[in-house]
Amino acid sequence: MADERFSIVDYVVFSIMLMISALIGIWYGCGPGGKQKTTSEYLLANRKMRHFPVAISLLVSYLSAITLLGVPSEIYTYGAQYYVLILSYFIICGTVAIVFVPMFRRVNITCANEYLERRFSVGVRMVGCAFFIMEYTLYLFVVLYAPSLALEAVAGIPLPASILTTGIVCTFYTSLGGLKAVIWTDVFQSMIMVAGLIIVVIVGSIEVGGFANVWEINDKFGRLNFFNFDPDPKVRNTFWTLSIGGAFTAMPVWTVSQTAVQRFLAIRTFKDARRAVWLNVPGLIIIVTLCCLDGLVIFAVYSGCDLRVQGKITSNDQTLPYFVINKLGHLKGLPGMFTACLYAGALSTASSALNAMALVCLEDIVKKKVPDITDSDAAKLCKIIALSFGVIVIGGAFVVKYVGTMVLQLAYSIFGICGGPLLGIFFLGMFVPRANSKGAYFGIFSGAIMTTWVFVGSVLYPPNKYPGLRSVQECDFFTANTTFINGTLSNSSAEFFKEHNINQDGFIHNPYKGHSAGIADFYSMSYLWFSGLSVIVSFGVGIIMSLILERKEDKEREIDPKLLFPLKEWCLSFLPGHSFQWDFEEEENERLQKEKEEEMKPLHEREIKINWDEAPPLQEPGEKEKTSMGDMFTNDLLSNDSKL
């Protein structure tokens, strides 16, 4: 790694970012921003948030440090093809806005898994709870590890210290300030993220003589093939894999994850909730574009001498932090700004997940065991749960470095194994009226088992990852040590070249050699198809097993129409003379009108609502108070007698 390290100015900049995040938690936990004494306030911000801050929060909760580190690394390693992923965001946001936002607001739930209980059974809800907690616990291990890896690279701070710092700050403001703190911290952190990414693009372009040169260098190495229409699912990045497979990969996070559902429900109106979702399309495109440009710029800067071969980095996930300390280190404060950018991504995602896991545990587990728990006690318990998960995640982050997979691929694989089957049974419940709990059980476990099998197989039989062309022609060791004897390399140089798959012309080509086992082809599926595989298997198996195991009571069971997506009515709305409106919109408009009228009333006419859980206990008056009250009463009687 680089010899340069953080300066005092960098530490100050970085510390200020962490301090502001913590202060936002204090503001909403102890200050004028609210005391977070009720579950509605702590978990759903009283359902009164505006669409713009929630849209920003949705965006940065998804775009964690994994994205900020992983996407530039992906572009540096494999080429610009990954940018096609932006097409998947139209599919994702369309599905969320059309199906899931109205469905969850329609049934008026607090927890996403509550839908599974109403539609199937309590047992299915518990399974959904387990899958969500497992998904986000594993995901947060990676989220916390990624920026700590970067800080170790740019600042020389040991990995354990970095993980502890991130985890403690995030757990602190999430446990204290609830969803309001999470959302407003996300807004602040989004500005840092964008600023850091833009700085890298500008400085890197200047380094190679302008962005035209960046584009030319990447084109020279054949890294600008955006539209590879190969239908083979084994190819890591193709148009179909990125647009459709990428949509399935991210969809569990945007649709049925409690982190997203909380935000749909925290917004005041249905229209604002959909508006918040659609606002993410340009936001996602901007962030991913900047990340991709960072990857192109970094490759252009180091195109003549591969960073991994020359030992400057130990993992390709360190390309961006290495570039920052190597090229921006002389600009005091900028490395600190960049590291704050990565930490902003990690903190926003982790805080959202901790808050959501606290809600899921409360609604799915605690309230099932203690149904009469008071609201204030529930809010306090949520803070303890969030704190506990924070400790677990900090411990798990230390394990990630032993996995040996790029963080972006590891995160998406987790979504596929845990999130995909969960999404599959939500689709099953909303679109298949004859689906039952037995089909849901078979579906979710079949999807999880199938995807886990493929994932483990891909570890045992590593697939062809199709890395881009790289070079070492400008490395010092290439020009100094590659001496030819009768047209061949010396022994020492030959061994080094063989170890790193370097040709005699100085280029590093794809070193992949196929496996002899026939099953290896099945395991070679691109990681971006894992989630799609699990959704399709869980949905398909769920339908088949529901029909096979259907009993008389299943046929006679009445399903609340609100739990089923009105597919026929929605499709007919596209025909002339037909229109479609959700049945809850009129009720919501009436409620908003009443709230508006209540706000317009003079203060003395407004309805007073008291939270009896928070009412102070009545105290018996002491002897002194009793004597004072008696004297006052006696004096009043005497004064009235004298008047008479």
Side-chain angles (χ1 to χ4, degrees):
M1 296 301 300
D3 295 330
E4 300 92 339
R5 290 292 180 252
F6 262 22
S7 67
I8 298 298
V9 178
D10 294 317
Y11 279 110
V12 170
V13 171
F14 177 64
S15 300
I16 288 174
M17 191 281 295
L18 292 179
M19 190 181 302
I20 292 175
S21 298
L23 289 175
I24 292 174
I26 295 173
W27 174 270
Y28 284 108
C30 308
K35 303 296 182 183
Q36 312 300 316
K37 291 182 178 179
T38 68
T39 52
S40 177
E41 184 180 13
Y42 183 77
L43 298 172
L44 294 172
N46 284 330
R47 300 182 189 256
K48 291 184 177 179
M49 291 300 297
R50 299 295 180 183
H51 67 275
F52 185 73
V54 174
I56 298 295
S57 181
L58 268 170
L59 175 68
V60 298
S61 296
Y62 171 67
L63 296 174
S64 65
I66 293 173
T67 303
L68 301 181
L69 281 177
V71 174
S73 171
E74 183 82 10
I75 301 296
Y76 176 87
T77 308
Y78 301 103
Q81 176 78 40
Y82 185 84
Y83 186 63
V84 176
L85 188 80
I86 64 171
L87 299 178
S88 70
Y89 297 139
F90 292 94
I91 300 173
I92 295 167
C93 292
T95 305
V96 174
I98 294 169
V99 178
F100 288 94
V101 170
M103 285 297 293
F104 285 134
R105 292 185 72 95
R106 186 188 199 190
V107 294
N108 194 28
I109 58 176
T110 301
C111 175
N113 296 323
E114 190 178 338
Y115 171 87
L116 296 178
E117 179 180 357
R118 294 192 194 180
R119 180 62 181 85
F120 297 114
S121 67
V122 176
V124 176
R125 177 177 182 171
M126 293 299 106
V127 172
C129 170
F131 268 74
F132 171 76
I133 291 175
M134 181 168 60
E135 174 190 3
Y136 265 84
T137 302
L138 293 173
Y139 179 51
L140 288 186
F141 291 170
V142 186
V143 167
L144 211 58
Y145 168 78
S148 301
L149 182 71
L151 192 59
E152 183 185 43
V154 301
I157 296 176
L159 195 67
S162 304
I163 290 174
L164 287 172
T165 303
T166 317
I168 290 171
V169 171
C170 175
T171 303
F172 171 76
Y173 77 73
T174 305
S175 303
L176 193 63
L179 187 63
K180 282 184 181 176
V182 171
I183 289 175
W184 285 110
T185 307
D186 286 348
V187 173
F188 160 67
Q189 290 164 351
S190 66
M191 295 184 287
I192 298 175
M193 290 164 62
V194 172
L197 293 172
I198 290 174
I199 288 171
V200 171
V201 174
I202 294 173
V203 174
S205 298
I206 294 172
E207 182 76 18
V208 294
F211 191 75
N213 288 341
V214 171
W215 196 263
E216 183 181 343
I217 292 169
N218 279 272
D219 187 40
K220 175 185 174 183
F221 281 81
R223 289 171 164 265
L224 300 179
N225 180 19
F226 290 97
F227 300 105
N228 177 6
F229 290 99
D230 189 343
D232 188 353
K234 299 192 298 294
V235 180
R236 182 183 179 91
N237 292 332
T238 68
F239 178 87
W240 310 112
T241 298
L242 291 161
S243 58
I244 300 176
F248 273 113
T249 297
M251 205 173 286
V253 181
W254 284 87
T255 52
V256 298
S257 163
Q258 186 61 37
T259 55
V261 174
Q262 263 179 281
R263 285 159 175 75
F264 305 155
L265 302 176
I267 299 177
R268 195 171 187 180
T269 69
F270 168 54
K271 289 181 179 178
D272 279 350
R274 285 204 298 194
R275 191 176 291 123
V277 172
W278 283 115
L279 278 174
N280 275 271
V281 174
L284 286 163
I285 291 174
I286 290 170
I287 296 291
V288 173
T289 299
L290 289 173
C291 287
C292 288
L293 290 176
D294 285 352
L296 293 174
V297 165
I298 294 170
F299 178 78
V301 172
Y302 301 111
S303 60
C305 189
D306 184 71
L307 293 175
R308 191 84 177 264
V309 174
Q310 62 176 318
K312 297 296 185 181
I313 59 174
T314 57
S315 165
N316 279 13
D317 291 316
Q318 293 176 320
T319 52
L320 183 56
Y322 175 80
F323 172 85
V324 169
I325 197 66
N326 182 241
K327 299 300 180 182
L328 305 182
H330 64 286
L331 302 172
K332 303 302 181 186
L334 280 184
M337 172 80 171
F338 162 76
T339 309
C341 163
L342 289 181
Y343 267 75
L347 291 173
S348 62
T349 302
S351 61
S352 301
L354 290 176
N355 190 266
M357 287 194 288
L359 186 148
V360 168
C361 287
L362 174 70
E363 295 292 329
D364 292 352
I365 301 173
V366 176
K367 287 189 176 180
K368 289 295 180 185
K369 299 292 183 182
V370 190
D372 57 346
I373 186 173
T374 64
D375 198 44
S376 60
D377 286 343
K380 292 173 186 174
L381 185 59
C382 279
K383 296 179 182 181
I384 296 172
I385 293 171
L387 179 63
S388 303
F389 274 118
V391 174
I392 293 170
V393 167
I394 290 171
F398 289 97
V399 181
V400 178
K401 71 175 182 178
Y402 301 108
V403 177
T405 303
M406 290 176 66
V407 292
L408 191 69
Q409 179 176 342
L410 185 59
Y412 285 172
S413 298
I414 292 170
F415 291 158
I417 294 170
C418 302
L422 191 58
L423 175 60
I425 62 168
F426 270 95
F427 276 133
L428 182 71
M430 292 179 183
F431 290 95
V432 184
R434 290 182 63 179
N436 53 49
S437 59
K438 294 178 281 293
Y441 284 126
F442 273 98
I444 192 169
F445 286 113
S446 298
I449 291 169
M450 174 64 77
T451 314
T452 304
W453 176 34
V454 175
F455 174 73
V456 172
S458 69
V459 174
L460 298 176
Y461 297 95
N464 186 354
K465 296 183 178 180
Y466 299 93
L469 184 65
R470 294 168 293 155
S471 171
V472 294
Q473 290 178 338
E474 297 177 14
C475 292
D476 293 338
F477 71 81
F478 181 79
T479 56
N481 298 325
T482 55
T483 57
F484 285 85
I485 304 175
N486 297 326
T488 61
L489 288 167
S490 64
N491 290 336
S492 59
S493 297
E495 289 177 7
F496 181 84
F497 275 43
K498 184 178 180 180
E499 179 186 352
H500 294 280
N501 301 295
I502 304 171
N503 289 350
Q504 293 185 10
D505 58 3
F507 288 103
I508 306 173
H509 296 272
N510 186 0
Y512 179 76
K513 296 178 180 178
H515 302 283
S516 57
I519 192 67
D521 275 350
F522 179 66
Y523 297 143
S524 296
M525 178 186 300
S526 172
Y527 70 97
L528 287 171
W529 284 114
F530 285 1
S531 188
L533 174 68
S534 60
V535 170
I536 292 169
V537 169
S538 59
F539 184 75
V541 171
I543 293 175
I544 294 169
M545 298 309 295
S546 291
L547 297 176
I548 292 174
L549 301 176
E550 189 176 46
R551 294 181 179 179
K552 185 178 179 181
E553 56 265 29
D554 294 320
K555 293 180 180 180
E556 293 176 350
R557 182 189 176 206
E558 291 186 8
I559 300 174
D560 185 349
K562 289 187 175 182
L563 299 172
L564 298 171
F565 184 81
L567 185 61
K568 179 181 176 181
E569 292 81 357
W570 182 78
C571 290
L572 287 174
S573 66
F574 292 94
L575 298 177
H578 292 77
S579 62
F580 174 76
Q581 183 180 28
W582 286 95
D583 48 18
F584 66 89
E585 287 189 77
E586 189 173 340
E587 296 176 11
E588 186 177 84
N589 292 334
E590 290 177 2
R591 175 180 59 80
L592 292 171
Q593 185 61 33
K594 287 181 181 178
E595 289 180 3
K596 189 175 181 180
E597 290 173 359
E598 185 69 23
E599 290 173 359
M600 296 295 290
K601 287 181 181 179
L603 189 61
H604 66 281
E605 292 182 10
R606 294 185 188 179
E607 180 183 357
I608 299 175
K609 296 181 180 179
I610 300 175
N611 181 4
W612 292 106
D613 290 337
E614 296 300 321
L618 294 175
Q619 296 180 351
E620 290 291 332
E623 286 298 323
K624 186 175 180 181
E625 287 82 0
K626 288 179 180 178
T627 303
S628 175
M629 290 169 66
D631 291 343
M632 186 171 62
F633 182 68
T634 303
N635 291 334
D636 287 342
L637 286 176
L638 292 173
S639 127
N640 289 333
D641 286 343
S642 64
K643 289 178 181 178
L644 291 172

